[in-house]
């Protein structure tokens, strides 16, 4: 099965006349990715002062699977703080022309209709399989798993490309079962 590709430009909504249009890294809609789909995000570089972001390359994220797991299934005695562990298997690939970094730790939040965004990253499962948190040269890819702590089954994961920009670079819709 070939993953469906979704880009931010395909999902961007037309701005209404009432909304101001300001160009910024977060101005376009973030790709909403489901299991089996891919989305492309821009990797930004800034100047030495952490300002003037410009697109350096593009990374493609493919969500291979999202499996709800128990602490025993992932070999830990720790209980999830938010309520439920999910093993998210993704492939990250640099589809641009320059090196780019993907760093999920501390950059993933989970929310649903009833719960505001909560930090979802954990140290559970670290060291198992390939590490997706790395710098990718053009054409390089890694498939690996993240163990995330979410409030419940379902909801939405968001990846923030930067700690200063709160807009997500992409979101992932988690299955309800």
């Amino acid at each position: 099965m070939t993953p469906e590709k979704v880009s931010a430009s395909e999902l961007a909504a037309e701005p209404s006349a009432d909304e101001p249009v300001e160009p910024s890294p977060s101005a376009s809609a973030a790709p909403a990715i489901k299991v089996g789909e891919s989305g492309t995000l821009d990797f930004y570089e800034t100047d030495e002062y952490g300002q003037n972001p410009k697109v350096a390359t593009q990374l493609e994220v493919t969500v291979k699977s999202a499996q709800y797991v128990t602490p025993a299934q992932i070999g830990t005695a720790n209980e999830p703080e938010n309520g439920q562990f999910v093993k998210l298997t993704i492939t990250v690939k640099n589809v641009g022309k320059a090196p780019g970094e993907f760093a999920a730790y501390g950059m993933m939040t989970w929310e649903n209709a009833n719960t505001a965004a909560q930090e979802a990253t954990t140290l559970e499962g670290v060291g198992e399989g390939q590490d997706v948190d790395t710098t990718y040269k053009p054409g390089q890819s890694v498939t690996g798993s993240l163990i995330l702590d979410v409030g419940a089954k379902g909801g939405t994961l968001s990846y923030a490309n930067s700690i200063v920009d709160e807009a997500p670079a992409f979101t992932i819709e988690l299955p309800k079962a």
Side-chain angles (χ1 to χ4, degrees), residues 26-51:
S26 59
S28 63
I33 309 169
K34 295 180 182 173
V35 174
E37 294 182 348
S38 297
T40 303
L41 66 123
D42 291 331
F43 173 76
Y44 291 88
E45 288 185 341
T46 59
D47 62 21
E48 63 270 21
Y49 304 107
Q51 299 187 0

Side-chain angles (χ1 to χ4, degrees), residues 90-131:
I90 61 174
T91 298
V92 178
K93 180 176 184 177
N94 185 331
V95 294
K97 298 185 185 325
E101 183 179 350
F102 183 84
Y105 187 78
M107 306 303 273
M108 302 283 296
T109 58
W110 173 89
E111 66 182 291
N112 68 10
N114 300 319
T115 306
Q118 302 293 306
E119 169 62 37
T121 55
T122 71
L123 291 175
E124 303 299 336
V126 171
E128 294 179 15
Q130 292 183 311
D131 188 358

Side-chain angles (χ1 to χ4, degrees), residues 4-11 30-34 37-41:
E4 181 180 326
K5 299 198 187 266
V6 180
S7 72
S9 59
E10 292 171 341
L11 296 174
I33 309 169
K34 295 180 182 173
E37 294 182 348
S38 297
T40 303
L41 66 123

Side-chain angles (χ1 to χ4, degrees), residues 66-71 74 79-88 108-112 115-122 124 146-158 172-177:
Q67 176 186 8
Y68 296 103
V69 293
T70 65
I74 57 172
E79 292 294 322
E81 291 180 22
N82 293 331
Q84 176 69 58
F85 284 134
V86 62
K87 181 178 181 179
L88 184 70
M108 302 283 296
T109 58
W110 173 89
E111 66 182 291
N112 68 10
T115 306
Q118 302 293 306
E119 169 62 37
T121 55
T122 71
E124 303 299 336
L146 304 169
I147 303 297
L148 302 171
D149 184 355
V150 299
K153 294 179 179 179
T156 303
L157 289 168
S158 297
I172 298 171
E173 285 185 45
L174 290 177
K176 294 184 194 246

